[in-house]
Amino acid sequence: MPFDPLPPLRDVIAQHGLSARKSLGQNFLLDLNLTAKIARSAGDLMQCDVLEIGPGPGGLSRGLLSEGARHLLVIEKDHRCLPALAEIAEAYPGRLTVIEGDALDVDPLAHLTPPIRIAANLPYNVGTELLVRWLTPPQWPPFWQSLTLMFQREVAERIVAAPGSKVYGRLALLAQWRCDARIVMSLPPQAFTPPPKVSSAVVQLTALPAPRFPADAKTLERVVAMAFNQRRKMLRAALKGLAPDIEEKLVAAGIAPTDRAETVDLERFCALARLIAK
């Protein structure tokens, strides 16, 4: 691991009285070898600006900076963490910008210069919403090249799931429509303070130059949200509110009206979204 001039994270947490707060979805990762490994899985950062959400006491931030991130922007809602982050900024002069705020409300682009990568141990309570936002901008390619994100293992498996599996659904379709997605690391509960009840995993999503199949992002998102909201129903019933002639559109897209959502692949969902958007 490259040289990191700062004290161990346990000492930082003790010094600043930083107990993880459940209300903020916090679980701190204290092993700097692990945070450096996650940073390395984000690829070569030396020519990139990096966005990190919810850095907490800054374990992953330190990994990203010591692994060579050109500039790191962190957005942190918990004001208790700001002094610890200020110490990191001092140790890496000119390379760390800290914004106090809610990542759902802050526009990071004013502070970042392309190429941009996103790397984060996302707070559990906003992780999925942020991911969907990053995957569904109106224009593609997006402002980011890749996402390296830690989730609960169950969420990570939903992102990389294939049609027919029990966890295949909206996240898999939105992720795999415009990205290559794979799990690059698994972490046990005891890697965190406090230990969560479940295992975690790091997912790498690399933006494709263009979506795998043409479709309007908003329409596709609406179709898959409705389809999987009632996944036990036949699609003609689950999607009946989308169009008066939904059965004909399903057939035209190569989908049997009696099919259930988990059996339909990305190409056919995109075909259906195009027909509905007409």
Side-chain angles (χ1 to χ4, degrees):
M1 175 180 164
F3 175 69
D4 178 336
L6 293 154
L9 272 171
R10 283 189 192 280
D11 297 355
V12 172
I13 285 171
Q15 179 192 343
H16 296 289
L18 295 176
S19 55
R21 284 188 176 166
K22 195 172 183 181
S23 64
L24 295 173
Q26 289 174 330
N27 294 93
F28 296 152
L29 187 58
L30 300 189
D31 185 335
L32 290 172
N33 289 311
L34 276 178
T35 58
K37 191 175 176 186
I38 295 166
R40 283 195 297 277
S41 72
D44 182 357
L45 304 176
M46 298 190 71
Q47 305 303 319
C48 293
D49 280 12
V50 181
L51 170 63
E52 182 188 1
I53 307 298
L60 179 56
S61 311
R62 288 164 63 171
L64 293 163
L65 288 163
S66 64
E67 290 294 328
R70 179 177 69 190
H71 176 240
L72 175 63
L73 171 68
V74 300
I75 301 173
E76 178 54 67
K77 189 175 184 178
D78 186 355
H79 66 92
R80 300 175 307 146
C81 297
L82 300 182
L85 295 169
E87 289 170 6
I88 301 171
E90 203 175 313
Y92 293 93
R95 292 176 56 206
L96 175 63
T97 300
V98 180
I99 294 179
E100 181 183 4
D102 188 327
L104 296 171
D105 301 328
V106 174
D107 177 10
L109 289 180
H111 308 273
L112 294 165
T113 304
I116 298 162
R117 298 189 186 203
I118 300 176
N121 170 15
L122 288 174
Y124 285 159
N125 51 1
V126 295
T128 304
E129 184 174 349
L130 281 168
L131 175 62
V132 170
R133 283 190 187 190
W134 291 329
L135 291 173
T136 56
Q139 304 301 319
W140 198 265
F143 73 87
W144 49 269
Q145 288 185 334
S146 67
L147 309 173
T148 304
L149 305 173
M150 191 186 305
F151 293 100
Q152 294 175 336
R153 176 89 202 179
E154 173 211 346
V155 177
E157 287 173 349
R158 281 163 50 202
I159 293 167
V160 302
S165 74
K166 283 184 180 176
V167 292
Y168 175 70
R170 170 175 170 249
L171 279 187
L173 283 152
L174 295 180
Q176 295 170 41
W177 176 44
R178 289 170 150 179
C179 298
D180 283 329
R182 62 195 180 99
I183 292 174
V184 294
M185 249 177 100
S186 295
L187 295 99
Q190 52 270 30
F192 298 87
T193 300
K197 293 185 171 66
V198 294
S199 295
S200 299
V202 177
V203 182
Q204 174 90 49
L205 297 112
T206 305
L208 296 169
R212 292 184 199 281
F213 308 102
D216 172 69
K218 277 200 166 73
T219 308
L220 181 63
E221 192 181 351
R222 200 164 83 248
V223 168
V224 299
M226 285 183 73
F228 287 96
N229 193 35
Q230 305 178 71
R231 59 192 299 146
R232 293 187 183 180
K233 284 192 174 183
M234 295 176 189
L235 280 171
R236 68 179 171 208
L239 298 178
K240 66 183 177 187
L242 275 178
D245 56 345
I246 192 63
E247 285 209 33
E248 290 88 339
K249 284 183 164 56
L250 285 164
V251 171
I255 302 167
T258 53
D259 280 348
R260 288 178 169 79
E262 59 266 26
T263 65
V264 178
D265 62 18
L266 172 62
E267 184 173 8
R268 289 183 293 163
F269 267 121
C270 288
L272 179 62
R274 290 196 301 274
L275 289 165
I276 288 168
K278 274 185 178 178

